[in-house]
Amino acid sequence: MCRYWRAAVTLQYSLLGEPLIRARDVSGGQPIKYNLPRLFVALAHDEVRDFPALRPHQRHPWHAFLVQLAAMALHRAGQDQSFASEQAWRDALLALTPEHPDGAPWCLIAPHDKPAFMQAPVPDGRTSDWKNILYTPDELDMLVTSKNHDLKAARMRQAEPDDWLMGLISLQTQEGFLGAGNYGISRMNGGFANRPALGVVPKGYWGRRWQRDVAALLNHRAEIAEHIGLRVQNGIQLLWLPAWTGDDSLAFSSLDPFYIEICRRIRLILLGGSRSIGAIAKGSKAARVEAEERKGITGDAWMPVDTAAGKALTITSKGFDYQLAAELVFGNKFQRPSAQILDVTDGTEGVVVLAQGITRGQGKTEGYHERRIPVSPKVRMLLMQKPSDLSATIAGERIDAISKIRSVLWTAMATLFDQGAVKDRFSDSAKNKANEFIRSFEQAEDARFFDELNAEIESDDPGGARLQWLLSMADRAEVVLRNAFITGPQSSEQRYRAQSAALSRLHGGLRSDKTLPTLANYYRHLTANKENAHEPV
C-alpha cells in the first residue's frame, strides 16, 4: 500500500502564485490555467466559459466560494469595484491572512502546524494518529461520491491539483453529518439536511453572475450582520485559519457575515515523496461552528428561509419540482436570499433563477438537483415589485389546475387497470399501475410549467392563453391514458369495456364544473355550437 511522505513539509501548490485552476475561455473554449488572483481578473471581464475539473454537484460550492472570498477581500480594502490587476487581487487576498505573510493558508500543501487552504492547523503539527488515508479527490469529496451512490468513488487516479481543490471545497462547504466524529456545516438545517441555493443568473458567463453576486453581498453585508447576529468588524472570515483540536467549536457570533467555513479535519499530503497529492483525515468531537440552534439561518446569500418555521430550506428527493420552485420564486413562504433579489443591472433578457442542491439522507444521497427558471421581462417587472401578488396568484392557479387534471386522469387510469369497473374504490394493483403512469404526465407538465406561465403573463390575452393551456393539457392527459391501453386488459371484451370506461371517466371529469369551470364551460359551448350547426334550416 502506498504510504505518504512524513519528511519535512514545505509550502506547495500555491493558489496565489501557481496556475493550478483549469478553465476554458468564452471565445473558442481554449484551455487556460489561472492562479486565484488572475482568475478574479478574468471573471471581472467575463472571460471564463467553464471549469473542466468542476463536476455538477460542485458548481454551487465553487461559485459561492469565489463570491464570498472576493466580497470579503473587497470589503476589507474598502472597495466596491473589482480590482483591475492580478497583483492587486494577490495583495488583497494576502491581507485576509496578515499573520501568515508566507501565504500558507493559500497553499494546498503546508506544514501541518500551519493553516493550508481549507485545512485548519493541527496543534503541534502531529498527525501520526491520523490513520484515514485518501488517495483520490473523489474519495475526499462529500457523501454523494464517496459512498458510490450517484458517482463511483476512487476513480480519479490521474487527478490534477484543481481536482483536489474542487473536492476540498465541496466537502468543507456542503457536507452534512456522517456518523460520530464527522460533523456537517453550519449553513444547513441540521446534519441530515442540505445546502440548496437559489440565485439570479443574468445573461452572460461565469463572470457575469460572479460580479452581480459579489455586489449583492457587499450591498447586504450590514443587513446580514444585524439580522443574523454576526460581527460587522473583526469577525473570523476564513475558518481554516484558527487551529482546531477537534474538541472545541467556534462561536457563531464570532464570525464575519461572509465567512467561508470548513467542517472536517483534513490535511492534504504528498504520497510516496512525490508531488502526487493525497489526504489524511481525522474525526472531531465537536462541530467546527456551534450553530445547531440556528437551524441553517446563517445569512447565506443563496439560502431561502422558511419564515414561519424559522429554518433554512431543505429539499427532498423531488428536488425543485414546479410546486416548490413556484413557491420559491413567486410565493411568500420563503424569505428570498440576497442573491435571488433581482436588480436593475441584471438586464431584461435571458435572466433566469437558478436552483441547485443535493438531497441528502441518512447514509445515502437522493440525487443532485438543478433547475433554471426563466424570468420573462414582465415577470421580472412583477418580481421587482414587492410583493408580486399577480405572478404568485397565476402560478397558484396553474398548480391547482394541474392537480385537478391529474386527479381526473388518475381516476381514469385506475378504472382502466380495474378492467373498467365503475367504482370509486380501486384495487391496490390498479392504484399502483395508475401511479406509475401518472408520473409521466406530471413530469411533462413540470418541464413546461414556467414557459407556459411566462407566456400567460406576457400575453395580451391572458384569459385566452390560459384556456389554450388547459385544452392542450387535457389533450396531453388523454394521450397518456391512451398510451396506457397497451398495459391494460387485453382480452377483447375486457379491453373494450376498460378502455371505454376509462375514456368516459376522463372526459366526464374534464367536462365537470367541479374540476375546472373554465374548461367545462368551453366544452359546453363547443357542444352547443356543434348541435346548432346540425339543426335543419
Side-chain angles (χ1 to χ4, degrees):
M1 178 181 291
C2 179
R3 302 301 297 175
Y4 72 92
W5 192 248
R6 291 187 182 274
V9 178
T10 59
L11 301 180
Q12 297 193 48
Y13 296 117
S14 170
L15 294 171
L16 298 187
E18 297 184 55
L20 303 176
I21 304 168
R22 290 171 290 166
R24 288 183 290 195
D25 66 26
V26 300
S27 57
Q30 294 301 312
I32 189 168
K33 288 187 175 182
Y34 295 104
N35 60 38
L36 199 50
R38 189 181 174 197
L39 175 60
F40 281 151
V41 174
L43 289 172
H45 293 92
D46 201 14
E47 296 174 348
V48 178
R49 189 180 80 179
D50 57 21
F51 300 90
L54 196 65
R55 297 197 281 178
H57 71 280
Q58 299 170 341
R59 288 170 187 159
H60 175 66
W62 177 235
H63 171 73
F65 165 78
L66 293 173
V67 170
Q68 291 167 267
L69 184 59
M72 67 175 65
L74 290 170
H75 172 74
R76 188 180 184 91
Q79 299 287 325
D80 59 4
Q81 297 295 323
S82 180
F83 297 109
S85 70
E86 180 180 334
Q87 185 59 51
W89 272 113
R90 182 176 291 108
D91 292 342
L93 294 176
L94 280 172
L96 296 175
T97 58
E99 296 179 357
H100 303 278
D102 59 357
W106 306 104
C107 295
L108 295 182
I109 304 289
H112 297 326
D113 60 349
K114 290 177 173 286
F117 180 75
M118 285 281 178
Q119 306 158 63
V122 180
D124 300 323
R126 297 178 181 176
T127 59
S128 57
D129 60 339
W130 291 39
K131 304 299 185 182
N132 190 9
I133 304 177
L134 308 172
Y135 296 99
T136 65
D138 50 338
E139 284 185 286
L140 172 73
D141 203 344
M142 64 172 301
L143 176 66
V144 65
T145 56
S146 65
K147 292 301 180 183
N148 283 343
H149 290 294
D150 286 345
L151 301 172
K152 295 298 180 184
R155 301 196 50 183
M156 301 175 69
R157 296 290 179 180
Q158 303 298 321
E160 297 287 335
D162 59 346
D163 291 312
W164 286 96
L165 170 67
M166 302 305 180
L168 193 57
I169 292 175
S170 176
L171 171 77
Q172 297 286 43
T173 66
Q174 68 172 350
E175 180 60 293
F177 180 75
L178 189 59
N182 296 298
Y183 292 90
I185 64 171
S186 63
R187 294 189 186 274
M188 64 169 60
N189 177 30
F192 297 114
N194 39 62
R195 188 192 179 189
L198 261 79
V200 171
V201 180
K203 188 176 182 180
Y205 297 94
W206 266 84
R208 180 69 185 88
R209 184 188 178 203
W210 173 81
Q211 292 174 63
R212 67 94 53 199
D213 281 2
V214 169
L217 260 68
L218 291 172
N219 290 336
H220 290 87
R221 178 183 172 85
E223 177 186 341
I224 293 171
E226 179 182 356
H227 291 172
I228 305 300
L230 295 165
R231 289 191 180 181
V232 178
Q233 300 294 336
N234 302 319
I236 302 173
Q237 298 176 312
L238 308 175
L239 271 58
W240 63 89
L241 296 184
W244 188 13
T245 64
D247 298 328
D248 54 344
S249 300
L250 297 173
F252 181 77
S253 60
S254 69
L255 307 183
D256 183 86
F258 301 156
Y259 73 93
I260 301 175
E261 68 181 314
I262 61 172
C263 63
R264 299 290 172 82
R265 301 179 74 197
I266 297 288
R267 296 296 301 196
L268 297 189
I269 56 174
L270 297 179
L271 297 171
S274 68
R275 274 176 63 85
S276 296
I277 300 175
I280 52 175
K282 185 175 177 60
S284 62
K285 295 180 180 179
R288 183 54 164 160
V289 179
E290 180 54 56
E292 184 177 359
E293 74 285 353
R294 301 293 311 176
K295 296 184 178 180
I297 303 177
T298 63
D300 189 338
W302 298 271
M303 175 68 81
V305 171
D306 186 329
T307 52
K311 62 183 180 180
L313 169 69
T314 297
I315 59 172
T316 68
S317 59
K318 292 182 178 180
F320 300 96
D321 64 8
Y322 67 99
Q323 294 167 303
L324 175 60
E327 180 60 49
L328 289 169
V329 175
F330 302 115
N332 296 314
K333 180 179 180 180
F334 293 92
Q335 179 182 343
R336 294 176 179 83
S338 54
Q340 193 189 335
I341 299 173
L342 282 157
D343 188 82
V344 292
T345 62
D346 293 327
T348 59
E349 300 293 335
V351 179
V352 301
V353 174
L354 176 62
Q356 298 165 292
I358 297 174
T359 302
R360 300 183 65 260
Q362 296 191 27
K364 63 178 181 178
T365 180
E366 295 180 331
Y368 170 70
H369 305 277
E370 181 173 307
R371 182 167 195 158
R372 290 179 177 266
I373 303 162
V375 179
S376 69
K378 191 171 180 180
V379 169
R380 171 185 170 275
M381 180 184 68
L382 291 170
L383 287 175
M384 293 186 71
Q385 301 171 0
K386 299 178 182 179
S388 57
D389 292 335
L390 177 60
S391 53
T393 298
I394 295 174
E397 291 172 348
R398 282 175 166 259
I399 290 172
D400 182 64
I402 294 173
S403 176
K404 288 179 176 177
I405 290 185
R406 178 193 182 282
S407 178
V408 169
L409 176 59
W410 186 91
T411 301
M413 286 278 190
T415 300
L416 172 71
F417 294 124
D418 240 355
Q419 301 181 1
V422 181
K423 56 185 178 180
D424 293 323
R425 296 180 64 86
F426 302 100
S427 67
D428 290 341
S429 174
K431 289 188 287 187
N432 290 336
K433 290 180 181 179
N435 288 336
E436 291 177 9
F437 275 90
I438 210 71
R439 290 192 193 100
S440 64
F441 169 76
E442 194 158 24
Q443 288 170 353
E445 298 311 312
D446 187 318
R448 61 171 52 90
F449 182 85
F450 288 99
D451 288 332
E452 298 279 5
L453 173 66
N454 284 333
E456 178 177 336
I457 294 176
E458 293 289 332
S459 175
D460 294 330
D461 179 18
R466 173 74 66 87
L467 178 59
Q468 289 304 311
W469 172 68
L470 291 174
L471 290 170
S472 63
M473 183 163 52
D475 290 341
R476 291 191 292 270
E478 183 166 339
V479 169
V480 172
L481 177 60
R482 289 184 179 276
N483 288 340
F485 284 175
I486 194 173
T487 310
Q490 295 302 303
S491 68
S492 57
E493 182 178 349
Q494 289 181 340
R495 181 172 68 247
Y496 174 79
R497 184 179 68 182
Q499 293 177 3
S500 177
L503 286 170
S504 178
R505 277 277 182 125
L506 177 67
H507 294 156
L510 294 176
R511 286 161 173 76
S512 170
D513 286 324
K514 294 180 179 179
T515 306
L516 292 167
T518 300
L519 198 59
N521 189 52
Y522 170 82
Y523 286 131
R524 196 159 39 244
H525 280 84
L526 184 65
T527 300
N529 290 338
K530 287 181 178 179
E531 291 175 351
N532 290 336
H534 288 86
E535 289 182 358
V537 178

